[in-house]
Amino acid sequence: MLKAGQAAPMFVLPDADMESIDIAQFHGKNNVVLFFYPRDDTPGCTLEATDFSDHEDEFTRHDCTVIGISRDECIKHAEFRDKHGISVRLLSDSEGVACKQYGVWQAKEVDGVKRHGIVRSTFVIDKQGVLRFALYGVNAKGHALEVLRVVKELNS
């Protein structure tokens, strides 16, 4: 698992419109919030993505770009985005590369069956590419405002 103070792992992934997004493009320009979530169109994931979207203007005012990542395909992301009015960028990590780099791909036990899946997690990366916040096992409710407070502190 990653910790604050470490260099943020870099990656390039496609967004819902199949455009490649290189996380390094924000270096020197913007802070970045990365939130990893298990699956499009589930109650917790919808709550989290719409909550970040509802506060996107505030994040932007603090030089911060918000990006959601799951292993869903680009087309599923586009449907999810359009259905729920999600404005933050959603990246497809279908191969699980970024999920493994950030340590969010973990074994979970559900109903006595062990499976791997994404542990809901959030990271704040500063303009120099350094992790300033890493939280695993996030509760979606109220999480966007908690992260916004972290971003505001980063800029003060």
Side-chain angles (χ1 to χ4, degrees), residues 26 29-33 52-67 87-89 127 147-148 151-152 155:
F26 301 103
K29 296 179 196 138
N30 284 69
N31 299 307
V32 176
V33 169
F52 272 114
S53 293
D54 290 346
H55 295 93
E56 188 176 24
D57 288 346
E58 291 173 78
F59 281 100
T60 302
R61 275 198 296 279
H62 292 280
D63 294 332
C64 190
T65 301
V66 179
I67 298 171
S87 59
V88 296
R89 268 229 166 99
K127 293 176 184 177
V147 175
L148 184 59
V151 169
K152 286 177 179 176
N155 285 342

Side-chain angles (χ1 to χ4, degrees), residues 44 49 154:
L154 197 63

Side-chain angles (χ1 to χ4, degrees), residues 31-151:
N31 299 307
V32 176
V33 169
L34 290 182
F35 69 97
F36 287 84
Y37 64 98
R39 209 164 57 242
D40 287 343
D41 223 5
T42 58
C45 298
T46 302
L47 174 69
E48 185 175 27
T50 55
D51 210 14
F52 272 114
S53 293
D54 290 346
H55 295 93
E56 188 176 24
D57 288 346
E58 291 173 78
F59 281 100
T60 302
R61 275 198 296 279
H62 292 280
D63 294 332
C64 190
T65 301
V66 179
I67 298 171
I69 301 174
S70 80
R71 294 195 59 172
D72 291 303
E73 297 292 335
C74 297
I75 294 202
K76 196 149 187 295
H77 277 339
E79 291 168 355
F80 177 52
R81 175 195 65 198
D82 297 346
K83 178 180 177 182
H84 296 286
I86 294 165
S87 59
V88 296
R89 268 229 166 99
L90 301 176
L91 304 187
S92 172
D93 188 16
S94 58
E95 303 293 314
V97 174
C99 290
K100 289 179 182 109
Q101 286 176 306
Y102 280 80
V104 303
W105 188 250
Q106 298 178 14
K108 300 191 253 185
E109 194 169 319
V110 180
D111 300 327
V113 179
K114 272 197 172 186
R115 292 202 167 112
H116 272 78
I118 292 177
V119 172
R120 189 182 310 280
S121 306
T122 302
F123 304 88
V124 177
I125 304 166
D126 71 13
K127 293 176 184 177
Q128 287 70 48
V130 176
L131 286 171
R132 291 293 167 206
F133 178 80
L135 184 63
Y136 294 87
V138 166
N139 179 349
K141 190 172 169 107
H143 182 60
L145 284 174
E146 177 188 355
V147 175
L148 184 59
R149 279 193 297 276
V150 170
V151 169

